[in-house]
Coordinates of all heavy atoms in Angstrom, one line a residue:
M1 N -2.6 28.1 -4.8 CA -3.5 27.2 -4.1 C -3.0 26.7 -2.8 O -1.9 26.2 -2.7 CB -3.9 26.0 -5.0 CG -5.1 25.3 -4.5 SD -5.7 24.0 -5.6 CE -4.6 22.7 -5.1
R2 N -3.7 27.0 -1.7 CA -3.2 26.5 -0.4 C -3.7 25.1 -0.2 O -4.9 24.8 -0.5 CB -3.7 27.4 0.7 CG -2.9 28.7 0.8 CD -3.5 29.6 1.8 NE -3.5 29.0 3.2 CZ -2.5 29.2 4.0 NH1 -1.5 29.9 3.7 NH2 -2.6 28.6 5.2
R3 N -2.9 24.3 0.4 CA -3.2 22.9 0.7 C -2.9 22.6 2.2 O -1.9 23.1 2.7 CB -2.5 21.9 -0.2 CG -3.4 21.0 -0.9 CD -2.7 20.3 -2.1 NE -1.3 19.9 -1.8 CZ -1.0 18.6 -1.7 NH1 -1.9 17.7 -1.8 NH2 0.2 18.2 -1.5
L4 N -3.8 21.9 2.8 CA -3.5 21.5 4.2 C -2.6 20.3 4.2 O -3.0 19.3 3.7 CB -4.9 21.2 4.9 CG -4.7 20.9 6.4 CD1 -4.2 22.1 7.2 CD2 -6.1 20.4 6.9
L5 N -1.4 20.5 4.7 CA -0.4 19.4 4.7 C -0.5 18.7 6.0 O -0.5 19.3 7.1 CB 1.0 20.0 4.5 CG 1.3 20.5 3.1 CD1 2.7 21.1 3.1 CD2 1.2 19.4 2.1
R6 N -0.7 17.4 5.9 CA -0.7 16.6 7.1 C 0.5 15.7 7.1 O 1.0 15.3 6.1 CB -2.0 15.7 7.1 CG -3.2 16.5 7.4 CD -4.3 15.6 7.9 NE -4.8 14.7 6.8 CZ -5.7 13.7 7.0 NH1 -6.2 13.6 8.2 NH2 -6.1 13.0 6.0
R7 N 0.9 15.4 8.3 CA 2.1 14.6 8.5 C 1.6 13.2 9.0 O 0.6 13.0 9.7 CB 3.0 15.2 9.6 CG 3.6 16.5 9.3 CD 4.9 16.3 8.6 NE 5.9 15.7 9.4 CZ 6.6 16.4 10.3 NH1 6.5 17.7 10.4 NH2 7.5 15.8 11.0
C8 N 2.4 12.2 8.5 CA 2.1 10.8 8.9 C 2.8 10.5 10.2 O 4.0 10.8 10.4 CB 2.6 9.9 7.8 SG 2.5 8.2 8.3
S9 N 2.0 9.9 11.2 CA 2.6 9.6 12.5 C 2.9 8.1 12.6 O 3.1 7.6 13.7 CB 1.6 10.0 13.6 OG 0.4 9.4 13.3
H10 N 2.9 7.4 11.4 CA 3.1 5.9 11.5 C 4.4 5.4 10.9 O 4.6 4.2 10.8 CB 1.9 5.3 10.7 CG 0.6 5.8 11.1 ND1 -0.1 6.8 10.5 CD2 -0.2 5.3 12.1 CE1 -1.2 7.0 11.2 NE2 -1.4 6.1 12.1
T11 N 5.3 6.4 10.6 CA 6.5 5.9 10.0 C 7.4 5.0 10.9 O 8.2 4.3 10.4 CB 7.4 7.1 9.5 OG1 7.5 8.0 10.7 CG2 6.7 7.9 8.4
D12 N 7.1 5.0 12.2 CA 7.9 4.1 13.1 C 7.5 2.7 12.9 O 8.1 1.8 13.4 CB 7.8 4.6 14.5 CG 6.4 4.6 15.0 OD1 5.4 4.5 14.2 OD2 6.2 4.7 16.2
Q13 N 6.4 2.4 12.2 CA 5.9 1.1 11.9 C 6.6 0.4 10.7 O 6.4 -0.8 10.4 CB 4.4 1.0 11.8 CG 3.7 1.4 13.0 CD 2.2 1.2 12.9 OE1 1.7 0.2 12.3 NE2 1.4 2.1 13.4
I14 N 7.3 1.2 9.9 CA 7.9 0.7 8.7 C 9.0 -0.3 9.1 O 9.9 0.0 9.9 CB 8.5 1.9 7.9 CG1 7.3 2.8 7.4 CG2 9.3 1.4 6.7 CD1 7.8 4.0 6.6
Q15 N 9.0 -1.4 8.4 CA 10.0 -2.4 8.6 C 10.8 -2.7 7.3 O 10.3 -2.3 6.3 CB 9.3 -3.8 9.0 CG 8.4 -3.7 10.2 CD 9.1 -3.5 11.5 OE1 10.2 -3.9 11.7 NE2 8.4 -2.7 12.4
I16 N 11.9 -3.3 7.5 CA 12.6 -3.8 6.3 C 11.9 -5.1 5.9 O 12.0 -6.1 6.6 CB 14.1 -4.0 6.5 CG1 14.7 -2.7 6.9 CG2 14.8 -4.6 5.3 CD1 16.1 -2.7 7.4
V17 N 11.2 -5.2 4.8 CA 10.4 -6.3 4.5 C 10.8 -6.9 3.1 O 11.4 -6.3 2.3 CB 8.9 -5.9 4.3 CG1 8.4 -5.5 5.7 CG2 8.7 -4.8 3.3
E18 N 10.5 -8.2 3.0 CA 10.7 -8.9 1.8 C 9.3 -9.0 1.1 O 8.4 -9.4 1.8 CB 11.2 -10.3 2.0 CG 12.7 -10.4 2.5 CD 13.6 -10.1 1.3 OE1 13.3 -10.4 0.2 OE2 14.7 -9.5 1.6
P19 N 9.2 -8.7 -0.1 CA 7.8 -8.9 -0.8 C 7.4 -10.3 -0.7 O 8.1 -11.2 -0.9 CB 8.1 -8.4 -2.2 CG 9.5 -8.3 -2.4 CD 10.2 -8.2 -1.1
S20 N 6.1 -10.5 -0.4 CA 5.5 -11.8 -0.1 C 5.3 -12.6 -1.4 O 5.2 -13.8 -1.4 CB 4.2 -11.7 0.6 OG 3.3 -10.9 -0.2
A21 N 5.3 -11.9 -2.6 CA 5.0 -12.5 -3.9 C 5.5 -11.6 -5.0 O 5.7 -10.4 -4.7 CB 3.6 -12.9 -4.0
E22 N 5.5 -12.1 -6.2 CA 5.9 -11.2 -7.3 C 4.7 -10.5 -7.8 O 4.8 -9.5 -8.6 CB 6.4 -12.1 -8.5 CG 7.8 -12.7 -8.2 CD 8.8 -11.6 -8.1 OE1 8.9 -10.8 -9.0 OE2 9.5 -11.6 -7.0
G23 N 3.5 -10.9 -7.4 CA 2.3 -10.2 -7.8 C 1.3 -10.2 -6.7 O 1.7 -10.6 -5.5
C24 N 0.1 -9.7 -6.9 CA -0.9 -9.7 -5.8 C -1.2 -11.2 -5.4 O -1.8 -11.9 -6.2 CB -2.2 -9.0 -6.2 SG -3.5 -9.1 -5.0
E25 N -0.9 -11.5 -4.2 CA -1.1 -12.9 -3.7 C -2.5 -13.4 -3.9 O -2.8 -14.5 -4.3 CB -0.8 -12.9 -2.2 CG 0.6 -12.8 -1.7 CD 0.6 -12.9 -0.2 OE1 0.2 -13.9 0.4 OE2 1.1 -11.9 0.4
D26 N -3.4 -12.5 -3.5 CA -4.8 -12.9 -3.5 C -5.4 -13.0 -4.9 O -6.2 -13.9 -5.2 CB -5.7 -11.9 -2.6 CG -5.2 -11.9 -1.2 OD1 -5.1 -12.9 -0.6 OD2 -4.8 -10.7 -0.8
C27 N -5.0 -12.2 -5.8 CA -5.4 -12.3 -7.2 C -4.8 -13.5 -7.8 O -5.4 -14.2 -8.6 CB -5.0 -11.0 -8.0 SG -6.0 -9.6 -7.7
L28 N -3.5 -13.8 -7.5 CA -2.9 -15.0 -8.1 C -3.7 -16.3 -7.6 O -3.9 -17.2 -8.4 CB -1.4 -15.1 -7.6 CG -0.5 -14.1 -8.3 CD1 0.9 -14.1 -7.6 CD2 -0.3 -14.4 -9.7
T29 N -4.1 -16.3 -6.4 CA -4.8 -17.4 -5.9 C -6.2 -17.5 -6.6 O -6.6 -18.6 -6.9 CB -5.1 -17.2 -4.3 OG1 -3.8 -17.1 -3.7 CG2 -5.8 -18.4 -3.8
A30 N -6.8 -16.4 -6.8 CA -8.1 -16.4 -7.4 C -8.1 -16.5 -9.0 O -9.1 -16.6 -9.6 CB -8.9 -15.2 -7.0
G31 N -6.9 -16.3 -9.5 CA -6.8 -16.3 -11.0 C -7.2 -15.0 -11.6 O -7.5 -14.9 -12.8
D32 N -7.2 -13.9 -10.8 CA -7.6 -12.6 -11.3 C -6.4 -11.8 -11.7 O -5.3 -12.1 -11.5 CB -8.3 -11.8 -10.2 CG -9.8 -12.0 -10.3 OD1 -10.3 -12.1 -11.4 OD2 -10.5 -11.9 -9.2
S33 N -6.7 -10.6 -12.3 CA -5.6 -9.7 -12.8 C -5.7 -8.4 -12.0 O -6.7 -8.2 -11.3 CB -5.7 -9.5 -14.3 OG -7.0 -8.9 -14.6
W34 N -4.7 -7.6 -12.1 CA -4.7 -6.3 -11.4 C -4.1 -5.3 -12.3 O -3.6 -5.5 -13.3 CB -3.8 -6.5 -10.1 CG -2.4 -7.0 -10.4 CD1 -1.4 -6.2 -10.8 CD2 -2.0 -8.3 -10.4 NE1 -0.3 -7.0 -11.0 CE2 -0.6 -8.3 -10.7 CE3 -2.6 -9.5 -10.0 CZ2 0.2 -9.4 -10.8 CZ3 -1.8 -10.7 -10.1 CH2 -0.4 -10.6 -10.5
V35 N -4.2 -4.0 -11.8 CA -3.6 -2.9 -12.5 C -2.2 -2.5 -12.0 O -1.3 -2.5 -12.8 CB -4.6 -1.7 -12.4 CG1 -4.0 -0.5 -13.2 CG2 -6.0 -2.0 -13.0
H36 N -2.1 -2.1 -10.7 CA -0.9 -1.8 -10.1 C -0.7 -2.6 -8.8 O -1.7 -3.0 -8.2 CB -0.7 -0.3 -9.9 CG -0.6 0.5 -11.1 ND1 0.4 0.3 -12.1 CD2 -1.4 1.5 -11.6 CE1 0.2 1.1 -13.1 NE2 -0.9 1.9 -12.8
L37 N 0.5 -2.6 -8.3 CA 0.7 -3.4 -7.1 C 1.3 -2.4 -6.0 O 2.0 -1.5 -6.2 CB 1.8 -4.5 -7.3 CG 1.3 -5.6 -8.2 CD1 2.5 -6.5 -8.5 CD2 0.2 -6.4 -7.6
R38 N 0.9 -2.7 -4.7 CA 1.4 -2.0 -3.5 C 1.9 -3.0 -2.6 O 1.4 -4.1 -2.4 CB 0.2 -1.3 -2.9 CG -0.6 -0.4 -3.8 CD 0.1 0.9 -4.1 NE -0.6 1.7 -5.1 CZ -0.3 1.9 -6.3 NH1 0.8 1.3 -6.8 NH2 -1.0 2.6 -7.1
E39 N 3.1 -2.7 -1.9 CA 3.7 -3.5 -1.0 C 3.5 -3.0 0.4 O 3.8 -1.8 0.7 CB 5.2 -3.7 -1.3 CG 5.9 -4.6 -0.3 CD 7.3 -4.7 -0.5 OE1 7.9 -3.9 -1.3 OE2 8.0 -5.6 0.1
C40 N 3.0 -3.8 1.4 CA 2.9 -3.3 2.7 C 4.2 -3.2 3.4 O 5.0 -4.2 3.3 CB 2.0 -4.4 3.5 SG 2.0 -4.0 5.3
L41 N 4.5 -2.1 4.0 CA 5.9 -1.9 4.6 C 6.0 -2.3 6.0 O 7.0 -2.2 6.7 CB 6.3 -0.4 4.5 CG 6.6 0.1 3.1 CD1 7.0 1.5 3.1 CD2 7.7 -0.8 2.4
V42 N 4.9 -3.0 6.5 CA 4.9 -3.5 7.8 C 5.2 -5.0 7.8 O 6.0 -5.6 8.5 CB 3.6 -3.3 8.6 CG1 3.7 -3.9 10.0 CG2 3.3 -1.8 8.7
C43 N 4.6 -5.7 6.8 CA 4.8 -7.2 6.8 C 5.2 -7.7 5.4 O 5.5 -8.9 5.2 CB 3.5 -7.9 7.2 SG 2.1 -7.7 6.0
G44 N 5.2 -6.9 4.3 CA 5.7 -7.3 3.0 C 4.6 -7.8 2.1 O 4.8 -8.3 1.0
H45 N 3.3 -7.8 2.6 CA 2.2 -8.3 1.8 C 2.1 -7.5 0.5 O 2.2 -6.3 0.5 CB 0.9 -8.1 2.6 CG -0.3 -8.4 1.8 ND1 -1.0 -7.5 1.0 CD2 -1.0 -9.6 1.6 CE1 -2.1 -8.0 0.5 NE2 -2.1 -9.3 0.8
V46 N 2.0 -8.2 -0.6 CA 1.8 -7.5 -1.9 C 0.4 -7.6 -2.3 O -0.2 -8.7 -2.3 CB 2.7 -8.1 -3.0 CG1 2.5 -7.5 -4.3 CG2 4.2 -8.0 -2.6
G47 N -0.2 -6.5 -2.6 CA -1.6 -6.4 -3.0 C -1.9 -5.5 -4.1 O -1.0 -4.7 -4.4
C48 N -3.1 -5.5 -4.7 CA -3.3 -4.7 -5.8 C -4.0 -3.4 -5.4 O -4.6 -3.3 -4.3 CB -4.2 -5.5 -6.8 SG -5.7 -6.2 -6.1
C49 N -3.8 -2.4 -6.3 CA -4.2 -1.0 -5.9 C -5.7 -0.8 -6.1 O -6.4 -1.6 -6.5 CB -3.4 0.0 -6.8 SG -4.1 -0.1 -8.5
D50 N -6.1 0.5 -5.8 CA -7.5 0.8 -5.8 C -8.0 1.0 -7.2 O -9.2 1.1 -7.5 CB -7.8 2.1 -5.0 CG -7.8 1.8 -3.5 OD1 -7.6 0.6 -3.1 OD2 -7.9 2.8 -2.7
S51 N -7.1 1.0 -8.2 CA -7.6 1.0 -9.6 C -7.9 -0.5 -10.1 O -8.5 -0.7 -11.2 CB -6.5 1.6 -10.5 OG -6.2 2.9 -10.1
S52 N -7.5 -1.4 -9.3 CA -7.7 -2.8 -9.6 C -9.1 -3.2 -9.1 O -9.5 -2.7 -8.1 CB -6.7 -3.7 -9.0 OG -5.4 -3.2 -9.3
K53 N -9.8 -4.2 -9.7 CA -11.1 -4.4 -9.3 C -11.2 -5.0 -7.9 O -12.2 -4.8 -7.2 CB -11.9 -5.3 -10.3 CG -11.3 -6.7 -10.4 CD -12.1 -7.6 -11.4 CE -11.5 -8.9 -11.5 NZ -12.2 -9.8 -12.4
N54 N -10.2 -5.7 -7.4 CA -10.3 -6.4 -6.1 C -9.7 -5.6 -4.9 O -10.0 -5.8 -3.8 CB -9.5 -7.7 -6.2 CG -10.3 -8.7 -7.1 OD1 -11.5 -8.9 -6.9 ND2 -9.5 -9.4 -8.0
K55 N -8.9 -4.5 -5.2 CA -8.4 -3.6 -4.2 C -7.8 -4.3 -3.0 O -8.1 -4.0 -1.9 CB -9.5 -2.7 -3.8 CG -10.1 -1.8 -4.9 CD -11.2 -0.9 -4.3 CE -11.7 0.1 -5.3 NZ -12.4 -0.4 -6.5
H56 N -7.0 -5.3 -3.2 CA -6.5 -6.1 -2.1 C -5.6 -5.4 -1.2 O -5.5 -5.7 0.0 CB -5.8 -7.4 -2.7 CG -6.8 -8.4 -3.1 ND1 -6.7 -9.0 -4.4 CD2 -7.8 -9.0 -2.5 CE1 -7.7 -9.9 -4.5 NE2 -8.4 -9.9 -3.4
A57 N -4.9 -4.4 -1.7 CA -4.0 -3.6 -0.8 C -4.8 -2.9 0.3 O -4.5 -2.9 1.5 CB -3.1 -2.7 -1.6
S58 N -5.9 -2.3 -0.2 CA -6.8 -1.6 0.8 C -7.4 -2.6 1.8 O -7.6 -2.3 2.9 CB -7.9 -0.8 0.1 OG -7.4 0.2 -0.7
R59 N -7.8 -3.7 1.2 CA -8.4 -4.7 2.1 C -7.4 -5.2 3.2 O -7.8 -5.4 4.3 CB -8.9 -5.9 1.3 CG -9.9 -6.8 2.1 CD -10.3 -8.0 1.3 NE -9.2 -9.0 1.3 CZ -9.3 -10.2 0.6 NH1 -10.4 -10.5 0.0 NH2 -8.3 -11.0 0.6
H60 N -6.1 -5.4 2.7 CA -5.1 -5.7 3.7 C -5.0 -4.7 4.8 O -4.9 -5.1 6.0 CB -3.8 -5.9 3.0 CG -2.6 -6.2 3.9 ND1 -2.5 -7.5 4.5 CD2 -1.6 -5.5 4.3 CE1 -1.4 -7.5 5.2 NE2 -0.8 -6.3 5.1
F61 N -5.1 -3.4 4.5 CA -5.0 -2.4 5.5 C -6.2 -2.5 6.4 O -6.1 -2.4 7.7 CB -5.0 -1.0 4.8 CG -5.5 0.1 5.8 CD1 -4.7 0.4 6.9 CD2 -6.6 0.8 5.5 CE1 -5.1 1.4 7.8 CE2 -7.1 1.8 6.4 CZ -6.3 2.1 7.5
R62 N -7.4 -2.7 5.9 CA -8.6 -2.8 6.8 C -8.6 -4.0 7.7 O -9.0 -4.0 8.8 CB -9.9 -2.9 5.9 CG -10.3 -1.5 5.3 CD -11.7 -1.5 4.8 NE -12.0 -2.6 3.9 CZ -11.8 -2.6 2.6 NH1 -11.3 -1.5 2.0 NH2 -12.0 -3.6 1.8
E63 N -8.0 -5.1 7.2 CA -8.0 -6.3 8.0 C -6.9 -6.3 9.0 O -7.0 -6.9 10.1 CB -7.8 -7.6 7.0 CG -9.0 -7.8 6.2 CD -8.9 -9.0 5.3 OE1 -7.7 -9.5 5.1 OE2 -9.9 -9.4 4.7
T64 N -5.7 -5.7 8.7 CA -4.6 -5.8 9.6 C -4.3 -4.5 10.3 O -3.6 -4.5 11.3 CB -3.3 -6.2 8.8 OG1 -3.0 -5.1 7.9 CG2 -3.5 -7.5 8.0
G65 N -4.7 -3.4 9.8 CA -4.3 -2.1 10.3 C -2.9 -1.6 9.9 O -2.5 -0.6 10.5
H66 N -2.3 -2.4 9.1 CA -1.0 -1.9 8.6 C -1.1 -0.7 7.7 O -1.7 -0.8 6.7 CB -0.3 -3.1 7.8 CG 0.0 -4.3 8.6 ND1 0.4 -5.5 8.1 CD2 0.1 -4.4 10.0 CE1 0.6 -6.4 9.0 NE2 0.4 -5.7 10.2
P67 N -0.6 0.5 8.2 CA -1.0 1.7 7.6 C -0.3 2.1 6.3 O -0.8 2.9 5.5 CB -0.7 2.8 8.7 CG 0.4 2.2 9.5 CD 0.2 0.7 9.4
I68 N 1.0 1.7 6.1 CA 1.8 2.3 5.0 C 2.1 1.2 4.0 O 2.6 0.1 4.3 CB 3.1 2.9 5.6 CG1 2.7 4.0 6.6 CG2 4.0 3.4 4.5 CD1 3.9 4.6 7.3
V69 N 1.9 1.6 2.7 CA 2.3 0.8 1.6 C 3.3 1.6 0.7 O 3.3 2.8 0.8 CB 1.1 0.4 0.7 CG1 0.2 -0.6 1.5 CG2 0.3 1.6 0.2
Q70 N 4.0 0.9 -0.1 CA 4.9 1.5 -1.0 C 4.6 0.9 -2.4 O 4.1 -0.2 -2.5 CB 6.4 1.1 -0.7 CG 7.4 1.7 -1.7 CD 8.8 1.6 -1.1 OE1 9.1 2.1 0.0 NE2 9.7 1.0 -1.9
S71 N 4.7 1.8 -3.4 CA 4.4 1.3 -4.8 C 5.4 0.1 -5.1 O 6.6 0.2 -4.8 CB 4.7 2.4 -5.8 OG 4.5 1.9 -7.1
F72 N 4.8 -0.9 -5.7 CA 5.6 -2.1 -6.1 C 5.9 -2.1 -7.6 O 6.3 -3.1 -8.2 CB 4.9 -3.4 -5.7 CG 5.8 -4.6 -5.6 CD1 6.9 -4.6 -4.8 CD2 5.4 -5.7 -6.3 CE1 7.7 -5.7 -4.7 CE2 6.2 -6.9 -6.2 CZ 7.4 -6.9 -5.4
Q73 N 5.7 -0.9 -8.2 CA 5.9 -0.8 -9.7 C 7.4 -0.5 -9.9 O 8.0 0.4 -9.2 CB 5.1 0.3 -10.2 CG 3.6 0.1 -10.1 CD 3.1 -1.1 -10.7 OE1 2.6 -2.0 -10.1 NE2 3.3 -1.3 -12.0
P74 N 8.0 -1.0 -10.9 CA 9.4 -0.7 -11.2 C 9.6 0.8 -11.4 O 8.8 1.4 -12.1 CB 9.7 -1.5 -12.5 CG 8.6 -2.6 -12.6 CD 7.4 -2.0 -11.8
G75 N 10.6 1.4 -10.8 CA 10.9 2.8 -10.9 C 10.1 3.7 -10.1 O 10.3 4.9 -10.1
E76 N 9.1 3.1 -9.3 CA 8.3 4.0 -8.4 C 8.7 3.6 -6.9 O 8.8 2.4 -6.6 CB 6.8 3.7 -8.6 CG 6.3 4.2 -9.9 CD 4.8 4.1 -10.0 OE1 4.2 3.7 -9.0 OE2 4.3 4.3 -11.1
D77 N 8.9 4.6 -6.1 CA 9.2 4.3 -4.7 C 8.4 5.2 -3.7 O 8.8 5.3 -2.6 CB 10.7 4.4 -4.5 CG 11.2 5.8 -4.7 OD1 10.4 6.7 -5.1 OD2 12.4 6.1 -4.4
W78 N 7.3 5.8 -4.2 CA 6.6 6.6 -3.2 C 5.8 5.7 -2.2 O 5.6 4.5 -2.5 CB 5.6 7.5 -4.0 CG 4.7 6.8 -5.0 CD1 4.9 6.7 -6.3 CD2 3.5 6.1 -4.7 NE1 3.9 5.9 -6.9 CE2 3.0 5.6 -5.9 CE3 2.8 5.8 -3.5 CZ2 1.9 4.8 -6.0 CZ3 1.6 5.1 -3.6 CH2 1.2 4.6 -4.8
R79 N 5.5 6.3 -1.1 CA 4.9 5.6 0.0 C 3.6 6.3 0.4 O 3.5 7.5 0.3 CB 5.8 5.5 1.3 CG 7.0 4.7 1.0 CD 8.0 4.9 2.1 NE 9.1 3.9 1.9 CZ 10.1 3.8 2.8 NH1 10.1 4.6 3.9 NH2 11.1 2.9 2.6
W80 N 2.6 5.6 0.8 CA 1.3 6.1 1.1 C 0.8 5.6 2.4 O 0.9 4.4 2.7 CB 0.3 5.7 -0.1 CG -1.1 6.2 0.2 CD1 -2.2 5.4 0.6 CD2 -1.7 7.5 0.0 NE1 -3.3 6.1 0.7 CE2 -3.0 7.4 0.3 CE3 -1.1 8.7 -0.5 CZ2 -3.9 8.5 0.2 CZ3 -1.9 9.8 -0.5 CH2 -3.3 9.7 -0.2
C81 N 0.3 6.5 3.2 CA -0.3 6.1 4.5 C -1.9 6.1 4.3 O -2.4 7.2 4.0 CB 0.1 7.1 5.6 SG -0.7 6.7 7.2
Y82 N -2.5 5.0 4.6 CA -3.9 4.9 4.4 C -4.7 5.6 5.6 O -5.8 6.1 5.4 CB -4.4 3.4 4.5 CG -4.2 2.6 3.2 CD1 -3.2 1.6 3.2 CD2 -4.9 2.9 2.1 CE1 -3.0 0.9 2.0 CE2 -4.7 2.2 0.9 CZ -3.8 1.2 0.9 OH -3.6 0.5 -0.3
V83 N -4.0 5.7 6.7 CA -4.7 6.4 7.8 C -4.7 7.9 7.6 O -5.8 8.5 7.7 CB -4.0 6.0 9.2 CG1 -4.7 6.8 10.3 CG2 -4.0 4.5 9.4
D84 N -3.6 8.5 7.3 CA -3.5 9.9 7.2 C -3.8 10.4 5.7 O -4.0 11.5 5.5 CB -2.1 10.4 7.5 CG -1.7 10.1 8.9 OD1 -2.5 10.5 9.8 OD2 -0.7 9.5 9.2
Q85 N -4.0 9.4 4.8 CA -4.3 9.7 3.4 C -3.3 10.7 2.9 O -3.6 11.8 2.3 CB -5.7 10.3 3.3 CG -6.8 9.3 3.7 CD -7.1 8.3 2.6 OE1 -7.5 8.7 1.5 NE2 -6.8 7.0 2.9
V86 N -2.0 10.4 3.1 CA -0.9 11.3 2.7 C 0.3 10.5 2.2 O 0.5 9.4 2.6 CB -0.6 12.2 3.9 CG1 0.2 11.4 5.0 CG2 0.2 13.4 3.5
V87 N 1.0 11.2 1.3 CA 2.3 10.6 0.8 C 3.3 10.7 1.9 O 3.5 11.8 2.4 CB 2.7 11.2 -0.5 CG1 4.1 10.7 -0.9 CG2 1.7 11.0 -1.6
V88 N 4.0 9.6 2.2 CA 4.9 9.6 3.3 C 6.3 10.0 2.9 O 6.8 9.4 1.9 CB 4.9 8.2 4.0 CG1 5.9 8.2 5.2 CG2 3.5 7.9 4.5
Ligands
ZN1 ZN1 0.2 7.7 8.9
ZN2 ZN1 -5.4 -8.4 -5.8
ZN3 ZN1 0.9 -5.8 6.1

């Protein structure tokens, strides 16, 4: 199966960040729960994934334009670019 491979052009925006919280900041504030967590690699914002009902990580991207998140799950270190829709 052939797949069109796209490259991410946003890796220069990646910073060394400290996670902003142990869980999704916005869900903690609202008292909600989440499925998985994503950490923004531009500012350290921790938000919940698209399998979570609030999708705060995607909302953070739409509000700030910060393109790249990393999985915040123990043992996972993949990165995802929202703009290119590709694993970085
Ligand atoms: Zn990109
Ligand atoms: Zn959330
Ligand atoms: Zn951010």
Side-chain angles (χ1 to χ4, degrees):
M1 192 174 84
R2 281 173 64 90
R3 232 161 46 109
L4 184 64
L5 287 177
R6 286 201 292 176
R7 293 273 294 277
C8 173
S9 57
H10 306 91
T11 51
D12 58 347
Q13 295 187 39
I14 293 175
Q15 307 288 329
I16 296 170
V17 293
E18 288 287 327
S20 59
E22 289 297 308
C24 175
E25 285 179 61
D26 302 304
C27 283
L28 287 171
T29 304
D32 263 330
S33 59
W34 56 82
V35 180
H36 292 301
L37 295 171
R38 306 286 177 251
E39 178 185 13
C40 172
L41 289 182
V42 179
C43 72
H45 173 272
V46 176
C48 49
C49 71
D50 285 354
S51 303
S52 311
K53 64 177 176 178
N54 292 313
K55 302 180 171 62
H56 283 129
S58 296
R59 196 185 73 181
H60 178 72
F61 161 64
R62 286 197 305 274
E63 289 178 349
T64 63
H66 294 164
I68 299 177
V69 291
Q70 179 166 306
S71 175
F72 199 54
Q73 300 301 118
E76 291 185 7
D77 63 354
W78 52 263
R79 296 167 172 185
W80 176 257
C81 176
Y82 282 112
V83 178
D84 297 308
Q85 298 281 296
V86 72
V87 175
V88 178

